[in-house]
């Protein structure tokens, strides 16, 4: 099984901040990585796939990078709507998710 | 616009079988190109992939749950279903159905989730 580890688990930030979330895979997953945003009481929303491809309709302040075992989600300028929990997902071998990173108001 | 809706009992007794269905609207399961998926979220915790099925019946299961799972598809009803046998309290979770693009799958459409509690 491929284990996905996100850091940090919680992140406190202010509107306008640049936010970086890291996801590490226990083995190489090439670029088969997606990022999701989940708000309380809602289903996750796909933000990025194939490590760096932005899903249609997702604001350009979200970006992803990485390959192999280390990946990054960046929010270039945090907006009020971005306070949520973010998950990475590998789909190189079946599927598995990271444990999540909660972005909270500082 | 594709929509998915989970349905099934909200309460299941320990050792019994959890059964959920997901009805898809706005698109046909049998059109191909997608994996129809189940994902769960334990209360206050992260996401756990359960498994998925292709419209022709090919299935892929989480190895940790494989011995207890069956996912099936009914293209005539545009539905797919999950059965999880021998449930315990550890199976209490919010169960989501989702559509996954076959190239991934990455899950681009999700149901609202169905809370299933395992309790006597």
């Amino acid at each position: 099984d491929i284990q996905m580890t996100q850091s940090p688990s919680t992140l406190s930030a202010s509107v306008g901040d640049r936010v970086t979330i890291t996801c590490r895979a226990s083995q190489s997953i090439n670029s088969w990585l997606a990022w999701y945003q989940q708000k309380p009481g809602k289903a996750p929303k796909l933000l990025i796939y194939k490590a760096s491809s932005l899903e249609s309709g997702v604001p350009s302040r979200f970006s992803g990078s990485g390959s192999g075992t280390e990946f990054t989600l960046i929010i270039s300028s945090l907006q009020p709507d971005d306070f949520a929990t973010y998950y990475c997902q590998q789909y190189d071998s079946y599927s598995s998710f990271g444990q999540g990173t909660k972005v909270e108001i500082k | 616009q594709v929509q998915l809706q989970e349905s099934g009992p909200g309460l299941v007794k320990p050792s019994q079988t959890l059964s959920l269905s997901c009805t898809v609207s706005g698109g046909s399961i049998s059109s191909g190109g997608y994996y129809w998926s189940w994902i769960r979220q334990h209360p206050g915790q992260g996401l756990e992939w359960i498994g998925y099925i292709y419209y022709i019946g090919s299935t892929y299961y989480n190895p940790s749950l494989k011995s207890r799972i069956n996912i099936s598809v009914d293209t005539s009803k545009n539905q797919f279903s999950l059965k999880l046998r021998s449930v315990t309290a550890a199976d209490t979770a919010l169960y989501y159905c989702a559509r996954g693009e076959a190239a991934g799958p990455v899950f681009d459409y999700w149901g609202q989730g169905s809370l299933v509690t395992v309790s006597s």
Side-chain angles (χ1 to χ4, degrees):
Chain A
D1 297 7
I2 298 177
Q3 308 300 319
M4 306 301 293
T5 303
Q6 289 181 233
S7 59
S9 297
T10 305
L11 185 159
S12 298
S14 301
V15 173
D17 284 354
R18 177 182 175 91
V19 167
T20 301
I21 299 170
T22 298
C23 178
R24 290 186 173 88
S26 59
Q27 65 189 69
S28 176
I29 57 170
N30 298 294
S31 295
W32 304 119
L33 185 102
W35 289 98
Y36 298 83
Q37 176 194 67
Q38 187 180 33
K39 295 181 179 179
K42 299 292 187 182
K45 173 187 174 183
L46 177 64
L47 300 175
I48 287 170
Y49 60 95
K50 207 173 178 184
S52 61
S53 297
L54 199 65
E55 175 72 349
S56 176
V58 174
S60 60
R61 63 181 180 271
F62 291 93
S63 64
S65 64
S67 66
T69 62
E70 188 153 337
F71 301 86
T72 300
L73 172 70
I74 292 175
I75 308 172
S76 61
S77 178
L78 196 66
Q79 298 302 300
D81 192 47
D82 302 338
F83 292 97
T85 300
Y86 293 84
Y87 294 94
C88 62
Q89 175 222 354
Q90 69 81 17
Y91 50 100
D92 178 77
S93 175
Y94 296 114
S95 184
S96 54
F97 292 89
Q99 81 279 15
T101 295
K102 182 177 182 180
V103 177
E104 60 181 25
I105 300 173
K106 190 172 183 179
Chain B
Q1 177 80 344
V2 174
Q3 293 184 317
L4 297 92
Q5 178 67 59
E6 304 89 352
S7 59
L11 181 64
V12 181
K13 288 182 168 51
S15 80
Q16 294 192 342
T17 297
L18 178 160
S19 297
L20 292 171
S21 292
C22 182
T23 301
V24 179
S25 58
S28 173
I29 285 179
S30 56
S31 64
Y34 301 101
Y35 287 109
W36 301 95
S37 311
W38 290 98
I39 295 155
R40 70 181 181 179
Q41 187 167 35
H42 293 100
Q45 297 187 34
L47 301 165
E48 180 181 25
W49 169 67
I50 297 172
Y52 40 72
I53 188 166
Y54 199 54
Y55 78 101
I56 55 174
S58 307
T59 52
Y60 305 85
Y61 298 148
N62 185 325
S64 68
L65 297 169
K66 186 176 182 178
S67 63
R68 298 194 290 132
I69 299 173
N70 181 259
I71 297 177
S72 59
V73 64
D74 186 339
T75 54
S76 67
K77 295 182 179 179
N78 220 32
Q79 281 182 349
F80 61 106
S81 299
L82 168 70
K83 290 189 185 302
L84 178 63
R85 297 178 292 275
S86 304
V87 298
T88 69
D91 295 308
T92 293
L94 185 62
Y95 286 77
Y96 290 104
C97 60
R99 187 184 84 166
E101 295 187 3
V106 290
F107 306 110
D108 57 353
Y109 287 96
W110 297 63
Q112 64 186 23
S114 178
L115 179 62
V116 179
T117 301
V118 178
S119 174
S120 55

